[in-house]
Amino acid sequence: AGDPTIVHSGTGKSTMKMSGRVHADAWGFDHDDNIDQIAANNTDEANRLGFRRLRFGVKGNIQDNMVYKIEMEFANGNDAEFRDAYLGWSNLAVLQKVLLGNQKRPYGLDHLNSSRYNVFIERPFVIEAFNEDARRLGLQSYGVSDDEAWNWRYGVFNSRNLQDEGNYVGDHLQLEVASRLANTIWYDDVSGGRGYAHWALAGAHSDVTENQDANEGAVAESRFRTRPEARTAGTRWLDTGRIAGADYYNLLAVEGVVNVGAVQFVGEYQHNWVERDGFNDVQLNGGYVYASYFLTGEHVPWDRSSGTIGRVKPFQNFWLVNKCNGCTESGWGAWQIAARYSVADFSDEDVAGGEAEALTIGLNWHWNDNSRMQFNYITGEIDERTDLVGTGNYDIFGARFMVDF
Amino acid sequence: AGDPTIVHSGTGKSTMKMSGRVHADAWGFDHDDNIDQIAANNTDEANRLGFRRLRFGVKGNIQDNMVYKIEMEFANGNDAEFRDAYLGWSNLAVLQKVLLGNQKRPYGLDHLNSSRYNVFIERPFVIEAFNEDARRLGLQSYGVSDDEAWNWRYGVFNSRNLQDEGNYVGDHLQLEVASRLANTIWYDDVSGGRGYAHWALAGAHSDVTENQDANEGAVAESRFRTRPEARTAGTRWLDTGRIAGADYYNLLAVEGVVNVGAVQFVGEYQHNWVERDGFNDVQLNGGYVYASYFLTGEHVPWDRSSGTIGRVKPFQNFWLVNKCNGCTESGWGAWQIAARYSVADFSDEDVAGGEAEALTIGLNWHWNDNSRMQFNYITGEIDERTDLVGTGNYDIFGARFMVDF
Amino acid sequence: AGDPTIVHSGTGKSTMKMSGRVHADAWGFDHDDNIDQIAANNTDEANRLGFRRLRFGVKGNIQDNMVYKIEMEFANGNDAEFRDAYLGWSNLAVLQKVLLGNQKRPYGLDHLNSSRYNVFIERPFVIEAFNEDARRLGLQSYGVSDDEAWNWRYGVFNSRNLQDEGNYVGDHLQLEVASRLANTIWYDDVSGGRGYAHWALAGAHSDVTENQDANEGAVAESRFRTRPEARTAGTRWLDTGRIAGADYYNLLAVEGVVNVGAVQFVGEYQHNWVERDGFNDVQLNGGYVYASYFLTGEHVPWDRSSGTIGRVKPFQNFWLVNKCNGCTESGWGAWQIAARYSVADFSDEDVAGGEAEALTIGLNWHWNDNSRMQFNYITGEIDERTDLVGTGNYDIFGARFMVDF
């Protein structure tokens, strides 16, 4: 380490890792459909080209058992946003790991999975709508049993996404308590984890502010909205708006995974009971199932400590693969196909967030452990929205190139 | 260093350190008081939750004797801001160290102290009002005597805070010359610096632009404002506005510190003479005193080269502390209590910036060298403002969690 | 590498370098001239002080032959912008290196040169106008012949600068194909590259959108504009506006360099044919020549693999220079003088972008490999613009301090 160009952390008591990712996307919308009637204001959805994620940041340990992380998202040009941003403690008795700061709320497997590993380009309707952008300022404990069969997270969060503003201002704190209990009921150690099964139960109680009181200064976090499992402009195709009179909502989520070698089956369902004052209560819900298969025989690894999927490692890398005594030969990477069926019902009583169903066909070409291409074809339908925003069928094509480092 | 994952600086002629900090705050305002009459526009100040500082950046040396630093602040979400951002020279004859770029102006001990080390969560009225956000684009020399008894800084600065805009545009450069001479008159080497005394004298002459000439394009930097030694929304509770006809102002600042083991006494006073054309000159001033004490016996270290306080090192870390032959035992960290009394008089003649006094009671719980919790209770009063913004008493509670790395 | 403070990349399969730069500028405009009639809206151009570039970012390799880079620009305060931001492949057959993401379009030597190495503070009229901010989202191949005599780049790009927005939205993709073929026809290896000659030919075909169709959501990228080879406020002194009816444009660029020891001659010319529907086609063009000379005898290095200039290495560093047996002595750095004559004609038919010519006299004081000061005096004239924005003579003084790391 006599090399003066080696980068060091700022203090002698902290370690540091620096990591990031580049995700570049292209999205095409089939204009033969009546897609121009779907988005708000009758604006036809235009094709897109650009960065979905441009991140880098730092994380590490602080003596003796503290941790930190700041990860920045620069894909939106001028508008930088933080993602994971916290301080915390590890190796605690009972609580195990506790993080304070911006971190993912503990429901929705597809949200808890990293975007580096998820099988489809964008997340399902219900996962994104009930947990928009996933991260909130909170205090959360992360635990795992000694045999790694069980893992859990629970915490308390502010309901507002602070990634644009950095601070929440309001006398009503709009707190949410949420937790997830996960069980890897089968894990085939002999094959290195090529076979496993998982289920988890998660729930949340979110005490949103009922009405917009000027003196309180806070915006009611009682809105559920999402894009069509593709990347679109600002307007969301499904959107309840801020639900009038919403006092609090309770969320229940179930999820399951079965993996047998190159084949994986995943499903989730979430149900949301919104309690309102002066209006009829409403129930919103949605779910999805998907199956994926590696043509080249690899498998989707499983992380038993967090109950999420892990990094795919191709048998052979694309372009070049090191083999035997230093000789190289070309490889074709790992090829994975997948299909997802997703539904959402965000319309109930006077709330017209929309009903949707969509089928996504996906192809993932993994070049190596840290990079892949993803191709998605999505066909769907949106119904039961208000007159202002139309309904109809749509067909969307998407492609992503990604690396992480 | 054969490890390929080691991060290197971009050129073989430069070194690099990467450091940062996470400060997460919670602020509560007692609404039993007439606080709703204090802030502008009669808007009641709302409670807050969020990030106060989310920073990381790089610094290092360039052959043979140059230095650089870029530190970014990401706590405001979309609005990134640079903090220290400069290039410079070290080991110079006579000038010693010279930095060109965004750096702290040389007055106000409490501003020169790092936010990582300051005893109270937020800085006193006068320190922040006369040197808002502290850093300006300038050219400054930093020196210290061989025996470290004396240290000094002096430089020339543009008066505008460029952290939002990056550039100053205007034909009137609004230059300021400022300097600080500091003397550590007593330093007890035998105890490792547990006893010391310090005084310093600082001054500035700031040639602000007199009136807003459209052709000049610059905003007059003749405004002094601050928050109530707590974090509030955009409106400042004390605010002179841009002082009409201000031609230039002269600032004089005195400061003193006495530290005896676990006890520390600190005081500062600043006086500002604003020379005006077509209006009566005004004088603004303020000051504070505080005492702090470590229940657990540690002390606040002193940095004789810069004349600022240093990093507290707990005798025992919180949770775990390494001791004797590799065995560990639990510790309780370092506990520090403190009280500060602060006053400001920013109302004179037609200028009604407000008169304020505040008492802050603080408790700091240092977990280890790089992390601590801070708790502040503030009770204060604001008077002598205009009719548009009210006056009154207030009580505020604040908490901060912080790490640096 | 047992040092725990060493920073590591996020995954075991990627390497990382972290680099950046600080450029601090001062610009003064001579108000004796009729400069107040030049900029739009009759606003007199004001003097400037601030950061031109505040960058840092990461780059590295990913197994086995992939690359990545994210470099951020923080000089504009709140408005962060990405610069190079891509993923790619190296060591490919035929294609050699291919990058996907934000990268420089392949025309204009002065744009392909790094701002760390360029001889003048700002780039010539035509180079900046025809390739504003240089970088676009695209897919580009970079190649070099085995003997390094030839190098080339070619690719396809989206025509919009995405550095503010991160994404392009629009059904008309406004694609551009562009390429550059460069030949180092003479390179004197014996003297370590103190003698060389280079020429290159570059071209582009840019299929911009013809008219602003609300359904398409895209802005026509048929505008050519630039500042007066100095840094000014938002309004550009030369500006065609979005050229009505522009269907596509073709660009041809030639460039040449001759370097003999301390002397360098450089010239470029670019011609732009804009094809329009419903309007007469227009032709825009411009060029420049410059000569530079090192008073202290150094030379401008040449990078044969990219066909761009390289990093100047002073014989003696400024302040201190290590010499013989560990003794040090003072040096005066490297001193370079230069003169540039630049012209642009962006007025044709109904398009009144302006005609300009400018002479720039420059002095560069290189302190060491990584830092220098630059001084420019610019005298110029702008003509043939519309009545709304005036024409006239101007004199501008500029200075820059820079380091890179």
Side-chain angles (χ1 to χ4, degrees):
Chain A
D3 180 350
T5 69
I6 289 177
V7 180
H8 290 265
S9 68
T11 75
K13 304 296 177 66
S14 57
T15 68
M16 190 179 293
K17 273 200 172 188
M18 183 137 201
S19 54
R21 67 190 74 169
V22 178
H23 293 188
D25 283 16
W27 287 101
F29 296 83
D30 184 347
H31 297 287
D32 293 337
D33 300 327
N34 52 354
I35 193 177
D36 57 329
Q37 296 167 24
I38 292 179
N41 311 322
N42 264 2
T43 52
D44 193 10
E45 192 71 41
N47 295 334
R48 295 176 69 82
L49 215 54
F51 291 107
R52 180 66 172 91
R53 295 183 180 89
L54 268 184
R55 294 192 195 168
F56 67 85
V58 292
K59 64 181 171 184
N61 303 317
I62 296 171
Q63 63 157 9
D64 294 309
N65 67 330
M66 292 193 66
V67 297
Y68 70 88
K69 185 173 182 184
I70 303 179
E71 182 172 39
M72 295 303 303
E73 172 62 85
F74 296 118
N76 291 317
N78 290 165
D79 291 334
E81 291 184 355
F82 50 77
R83 288 289 179 268
D84 279 346
Y86 54 70
L87 54 88
W89 303 259
S90 57
N91 300 320
L92 298 182
V94 183
L95 296 171
Q96 300 200 16
K97 184 168 75 170
V98 174
L99 302 182
L100 171 72
N102 207 49
Q103 57 192 309
K104 288 183 179 175
R105 287 187 291 197
Y107 41 90
L109 170 65
D110 213 76
H111 246 325
L112 300 181
N113 290 337
S114 171
S115 65
R116 298 169 298 167
Y117 307 150
N118 258 339
V119 171
F120 296 90
I121 299 182
E122 296 291 339
R123 295 181 165 106
F125 295 125
V126 72
I127 300 302
E128 181 60 28
F130 288 171
N131 193 4
E132 194 181 349
D133 292 335
R135 289 179 183 83
R136 293 297 183 275
L137 183 70
L139 181 72
Q140 186 170 204
S141 165
Y142 298 74
V144 59
S145 64
D146 285 341
D147 63 357
E148 292 197 299
W150 296 88
N151 71 81
W152 54 88
R153 319 173 175 202
Y154 54 91
V156 57
F157 304 87
N158 172 261
S159 294
R160 184 158 181 80
N161 176 359
L162 300 183
Q163 295 175 173
D164 291 332
E165 302 142 10
N167 282 272
Y168 178 80
V169 179
D171 288 339
H172 189 308
L173 283 182
Q174 302 198 73
L175 292 182
E176 171 178 331
V177 290
S179 68
R180 176 184 186 245
L181 176 69
N183 177 208
T184 304
I185 49 173
W186 171 51
Y187 189 82
D188 185 49
D189 265 316
V190 178
S191 67
R194 284 182 60 88
Y196 54 85
H198 150 93
W199 65 268
L201 207 63
H205 171 80
S206 190
D207 180 28
V208 296
T209 187
E210 194 168 336
N211 38 42
Q212 303 296 122
D213 184 335
N215 285 333
E216 290 193 346
V219 173
E221 299 302 325
S222 54
R223 178 177 63 180
F224 305 98
R225 57 178 192 169
T226 188
R227 296 183 172 89
E229 303 184 341
R231 199 68 185 173
T232 59
T235 53
R236 316 298 161 108
W237 294 13
L238 297 175
D239 192 347
T240 63
R242 302 190 187 281
I243 297 176
D247 186 19
Y248 64 86
Y249 65 84
N250 291 319
L251 184 78
L252 191 69
V254 294
E255 58 184 82
V257 178
V258 175
N259 195 91
V260 183
V263 185
Q264 184 173 71
F265 300 96
V266 176
E268 293 195 72
Y269 175 77
Q270 297 189 354
H271 199 97
N272 191 337
W273 292 262
V274 184
E275 300 296 313
R276 306 165 80 191
D277 278 356
F279 297 84
N280 286 337
D281 297 346
V282 292
Q283 297 186 29
L284 316 175
N285 65 81
Y288 71 91
V289 289
Y290 77 73
S292 71
Y293 173 65
F294 274 99
L295 301 172
T296 43
E298 291 83 354
H299 77 290
V300 176
W302 186 249
D303 182 341
R304 282 177 288 176
S305 66
S306 62
T308 61
I309 62 174
R311 183 186 294 281
V312 169
K313 297 177 193 298
F315 291 152
Q316 287 193 318
N317 287 347
F318 183 43
W319 300 120
L320 288 172
V321 57
N322 294 312
K323 230 186 150 214
C324 60
N325 305 313
C327 58
T328 61
E329 64 178 45
S330 62
W332 283 103
W335 293 75
Q336 181 184 25
I337 52 171
R340 178 173 71 191
Y341 176 70
S342 177
V343 296
D345 181 355
F346 300 156
S347 292
D348 189 20
E349 302 281 348
D350 56 311
V351 173
E355 285 180 18
E357 61 176 341
L359 175 71
T360 304
I361 306 295
L363 169 69
N364 296 332
W365 181 16
H366 299 256
W367 296 322
N368 57 50
D369 295 9
N370 293 77
S371 67
R372 60 176 177 170
M373 279 197 71
Q374 293 184 279
F375 302 95
N376 278 187
Y377 162 69
I378 306 162
T379 183
E381 183 176 358
I382 290 179
D383 222 330
E384 298 287 328
R385 292 215 62 187
T386 66
D387 294 341
L388 293 174
V389 286
T391 60
N393 303 307
Y394 57 88
D395 291 276
I396 309 176
F397 303 85
R400 172 172 297 167
F401 294 72
M402 71 160 78
V403 299
D404 78 291
F405 48 88
Chain B
D3 180 350
T5 70
I6 290 177
V7 180
H8 290 266
S9 68
T11 76
K13 303 297 176 65
S14 57
T15 67
M16 190 179 291
K17 273 199 173 190
M18 184 139 200
S19 55
R21 66 191 74 170
V22 178
H23 292 189
D25 284 16
W27 288 101
F29 296 83
D30 184 347
H31 297 286
D32 292 339
D33 299 326
N34 51 354
I35 193 177
D36 57 331
Q37 296 165 24
I38 292 180
N41 311 322
N42 265 1
T43 51
D44 193 12
E45 192 69 42
N47 296 334
R48 294 176 69 83
L49 215 55
F51 290 107
R52 179 68 171 88
R53 295 182 181 88
L54 267 185
R55 293 191 196 169
F56 67 86
V58 292
K59 65 181 171 186
N61 303 317
I62 295 171
Q63 64 158 9
D64 294 312
N65 68 329
M66 292 194 65
V67 298
Y68 70 88
K69 185 173 182 184
I70 303 178
E71 182 172 40
M72 295 303 304
E73 172 63 84
F74 295 118
N76 292 316
N78 290 165
D79 291 334
E81 291 183 355
F82 49 79
R83 289 288 178 266
D84 279 346
Y86 55 71
L87 54 88
W89 304 259
S90 57
N91 301 319
L92 298 182
V94 184
L95 295 171
Q96 299 201 17
K97 185 169 75 170
V98 174
L99 302 182
L100 171 71
N102 207 48
Q103 56 192 309
K104 288 182 179 177
R105 287 188 291 198
Y107 40 89
L109 170 65
D110 213 76
H111 246 326
L112 300 180
N113 289 336
S114 170
S115 66
R116 297 168 299 166
Y117 307 150
N118 257 339
V119 171
F120 295 90
I121 299 181
E122 296 292 339
R123 294 181 166 105
F125 295 125
V126 73
I127 300 301
E128 181 60 28
F130 288 171
N131 193 5
E132 193 180 349
D133 291 335
R135 289 178 184 84
R136 294 298 182 277
L137 184 70
L139 182 71
Q140 187 169 203
S141 165
Y142 299 74
V144 60
S145 64
D146 284 343
D147 63 358
E148 293 197 296
W150 295 87
N151 70 81
W152 54 88
R153 320 173 175 202
Y154 53 92
V156 56
F157 304 86
N158 171 261
S159 292
R160 182 156 183 84
N161 177 358
L162 300 183
Q163 296 175 172
D164 291 332
E165 302 142 10
N167 282 271
Y168 178 80
V169 179
D171 288 340
H172 190 308
L173 284 182
Q174 303 198 73
L175 292 182
E176 172 177 330
V177 291
S179 67
R180 176 184 185 246
L181 176 68
N183 177 209
T184 303
I185 49 173
W186 170 52
Y187 190 81
D188 186 49
D189 265 317
V190 178
S191 67
R194 284 182 60 88
Y196 55 84
H198 150 92
W199 66 267
L201 207 63
H205 170 80
S206 190
D207 180 28
V208 295
T209 186
E210 193 167 337
N211 39 43
Q212 303 297 122
D213 185 333
N215 284 334
E216 290 193 345
V219 173
E221 298 303 323
S222 55
R223 178 177 62 180
F224 305 98
R225 58 179 192 168
T226 189
R227 296 183 172 89
E229 304 184 339
R231 200 67 185 172
T232 60
T235 53
R236 315 300 160 108
W237 294 14
L238 298 175
D239 191 347
T240 63
R242 301 189 188 281
I243 297 176
D247 186 19
Y248 63 87
Y249 65 85
N250 291 320
L251 183 78
L252 191 70
V254 294
E255 57 183 82
V257 178
V258 175
N259 194 91
V260 183
V263 185
Q264 183 172 72
F265 300 96
V266 176
E268 293 196 74
Y269 174 79
Q270 297 188 356
H271 199 98
N272 191 337
W273 291 264
V274 183
E275 300 296 313
R276 306 165 80 191
D277 278 356
F279 297 85
N280 287 336
D281 297 346
V282 293
Q283 296 186 28
L284 316 175
N285 66 80
Y288 72 90
V289 289
Y290 76 73
S292 72
Y293 173 66
F294 274 99
L295 301 173
T296 42
E298 290 82 353
H299 76 289
V300 177
W302 186 248
D303 181 341
R304 281 176 290 175
S305 66
S306 62
T308 60
I309 62 174
R311 184 187 292 280
V312 169
K313 297 177 192 299
F315 291 152
Q316 285 192 318
N317 287 347
F318 183 43
W319 300 120
L320 287 172
V321 58
N322 293 314
K323 229 184 150 215
C324 60
N325 305 311
C327 58
T328 62
E329 63 178 44
S330 62
W332 284 102
W335 292 76
Q336 180 184 25
I337 52 173
R340 177 174 73 191
Y341 176 72
S342 176
V343 296
D345 181 355
F346 300 154
S347 292
D348 189 21
E349 301 282 347
D350 57 311
V351 174
E355 286 181 19
E357 61 175 342
L359 175 71
T360 304
I361 306 295
L363 170 69
N364 296 332
W365 181 16
H366 300 255
W367 296 322
N368 56 51
D369 294 9
N370 293 77
S371 68
R372 61 176 176 169
M373 279 196 73
Q374 293 184 278
F375 302 94
N376 278 187
Y377 161 70
I378 306 163
T379 182
E381 184 176 358
I382 289 178
D383 221 329
E384 298 288 328
R385 293 216 61 190
T386 66
D387 293 342
L388 292 174
V389 286
T391 60
N393 304 307
Y394 57 88
D395 291 277
I396 307 176
F397 303 85
R400 172 172 297 168
F401 293 74
M402 72 160 80
V403 298
D404 78 291
F405 49 89
Chain C
D3 180 350
T5 69
I6 289 176
V7 180
H8 290 265
S9 68
T11 76
K13 303 298 176 64
S14 58
T15 68
M16 190 179 291
K17 272 200 173 190
M18 184 140 200
S19 55
R21 66 190 74 170
V22 178
H23 293 189
D25 283 16
W27 288 101
F29 296 83
D30 184 347
H31 296 288
D32 292 339
D33 300 328
N34 52 353
I35 192 176
D36 57 330
Q37 296 165 25
I38 292 179
N41 311 322
N42 264 0
T43 51
D44 193 11
E45 193 69 44
N47 296 334
R48 295 175 68 83
L49 215 55
F51 291 106
R52 180 68 172 90
R53 295 182 181 89
L54 267 185
R55 294 192 195 168
F56 67 86
V58 292
K59 64 181 171 185
N61 303 317
I62 295 170
Q63 64 158 10
D64 294 311
N65 68 329
M66 291 193 67
V67 298
Y68 70 88
K69 185 173 182 183
I70 303 178
E71 182 172 39
M72 295 302 304
E73 172 63 83
F74 296 117
N76 291 316
N78 290 165
D79 290 335
E81 290 184 355
F82 50 80
R83 288 289 178 266
D84 278 347
Y86 54 71
L87 54 89
W89 303 260
S90 57
N91 301 319
L92 297 183
V94 184
L95 295 171
Q96 300 201 16
K97 185 169 74 169
V98 174
L99 302 182
L100 171 72
N102 207 48
Q103 57 192 308
K104 289 182 179 175
R105 286 188 291 197
Y107 40 89
L109 169 65
D110 214 76
H111 246 325
L112 300 180
N113 289 336
S114 171
S115 65
R116 297 169 299 166
Y117 307 150
N118 258 338
V119 171
F120 296 90
I121 299 182
E122 296 292 339
R123 295 182 166 105
F125 295 126
V126 72
I127 301 301
E128 180 62 27
F130 288 172
N131 193 4
E132 193 181 349
D133 291 335
R135 289 179 183 83
R136 293 297 182 276
L137 184 69
L139 182 71
Q140 187 169 203
S141 164
Y142 298 74
V144 59
S145 64
D146 283 343
D147 63 358
E148 292 197 299
W150 295 88
N151 71 80
W152 55 86
R153 320 175 175 200
Y154 54 93
V156 57
F157 304 88
N158 170 260
S159 293
R160 183 158 182 82
N161 176 358
L162 300 183
Q163 295 175 172
D164 291 332
E165 302 143 10
N167 282 272
Y168 178 80
V169 179
D171 288 339
H172 189 308
L173 283 182
Q174 302 198 74
L175 292 182
E176 171 178 331
V177 291
S179 67
R180 176 184 186 245
L181 176 69
N183 176 208
T184 303
I185 50 172
W186 170 50
Y187 189 82
D188 186 48
D189 265 316
V190 179
S191 67
R194 283 181 61 88
Y196 54 85
H198 150 93
W199 66 267
L201 206 62
H205 171 79
S206 191
D207 179 28
V208 296
T209 186
E210 193 167 336
N211 39 43
Q212 303 296 122
D213 185 333
N215 285 334
E216 289 193 345
V219 173
E221 299 302 324
S222 54
R223 178 176 63 181
F224 306 97
R225 57 178 192 169
T226 188
R227 297 183 171 90
E229 304 184 340
R231 200 68 185 171
T232 59
T235 54
R236 315 300 160 108
W237 293 13
L238 298 175
D239 192 348
T240 63
R242 302 189 188 281
I243 297 177
D247 186 19
Y248 62 88
Y249 65 85
N250 291 318
L251 184 78
L252 190 71
V254 295
E255 59 183 81
V257 179
V258 174
N259 195 90
V260 183
V263 185
Q264 184 171 73
F265 300 97
V266 176
E268 293 195 74
Y269 175 78
Q270 296 189 355
H271 199 97
N272 191 337
W273 292 264
V274 183
E275 300 297 313
R276 306 165 79 192
D277 278 356
F279 297 85
N280 287 336
D281 296 346
V282 293
Q283 297 187 28
L284 316 175
N285 65 81
Y288 72 91
V289 290
Y290 77 74
S292 71
Y293 174 65
F294 274 99
L295 301 172
T296 42
E298 290 84 354
H299 76 290
V300 177
W302 186 250
D303 182 340
R304 282 177 287 174
S305 66
S306 63
T308 61
I309 63 174
R311 182 186 294 280
V312 169
K313 298 178 191 298
F315 291 152
Q316 286 193 317
N317 286 347
F318 183 43
W319 299 120
L320 287 172
V321 58
N322 293 313
K323 233 188 146 210
C324 61
N325 305 313
C327 58
T328 62
E329 63 178 43
S330 62
W332 283 103
W335 292 76
Q336 180 185 27
I337 53 173
R340 178 174 70 191
Y341 176 70
S342 176
V343 296
D345 181 355
F346 300 155
S347 292
D348 189 19
E349 301 282 348
D350 57 309
V351 173
E355 286 181 19
E357 61 175 341
L359 175 71
T360 304
I361 306 295
L363 170 69
N364 295 332
W365 182 16
H366 299 256
W367 296 322
N368 57 50
D369 295 9
N370 294 76
S371 67
R372 61 175 177 170
M373 280 197 70
Q374 292 183 281
F375 302 95
N376 278 187
Y377 162 69
I378 306 163
T379 182
E381 183 175 358
I382 290 179
D383 221 328
E384 298 289 327
R385 292 216 60 188
T386 66
D387 294 341
L388 293 174
V389 287
T391 60
N393 303 307
Y394 58 86
D395 292 277
I396 308 177
F397 303 85
R400 172 172 297 168
F401 294 73
M402 72 160 78
V403 299
D404 78 290
F405 48 87

